[in-house]
Amino acid sequence: MDPRLAQLLQLTSLYGTLAKFYEHIDPEKHIYFYKKHFMYEKQLVQLYWSLHHKS
């Protein structure tokens, strides 16, 4: 696996988990972590497709 893809998978998962954890505890933290999750998720998908189309 491409190391950049692995790193983005890890960050996407981390921030998704944190966003879910804070969903009903602290709405501000939930939104903060969800925005980070979404940013890394977009990067992950873009990188995945750029690697996939090169194959």
Side-chain angles (χ1 to χ4, degrees):
M1 178 183 291
D2 184 281
R4 296 169 298 170
L5 193 61
Q7 182 182 24
L8 287 172
L9 278 167
Q10 188 175 30
L11 290 169
T12 300
S13 177
L14 170 66
Y15 287 116
T17 300
L18 288 168
K20 192 68 175 166
F21 177 78
Y22 284 110
E23 187 172 12
H24 300 289
I25 299 170
D26 186 333
E28 287 183 30
K29 283 184 182 175
H30 166 70
I31 291 168
Y32 173 79
F33 288 123
Y34 184 78
K35 285 180 180 178
K36 286 189 139 319
H37 164 75
F38 187 67
M39 176 187 71
Y40 286 117
E41 190 174 50
K42 286 192 313 186
Q43 291 177 23
L44 173 68
V45 170
Q46 289 172 345
L47 179 60
Y48 173 81
W49 285 116
S50 73
L51 294 171
H52 184 268
H53 287 303
K54 289 182 181 178
S55 300

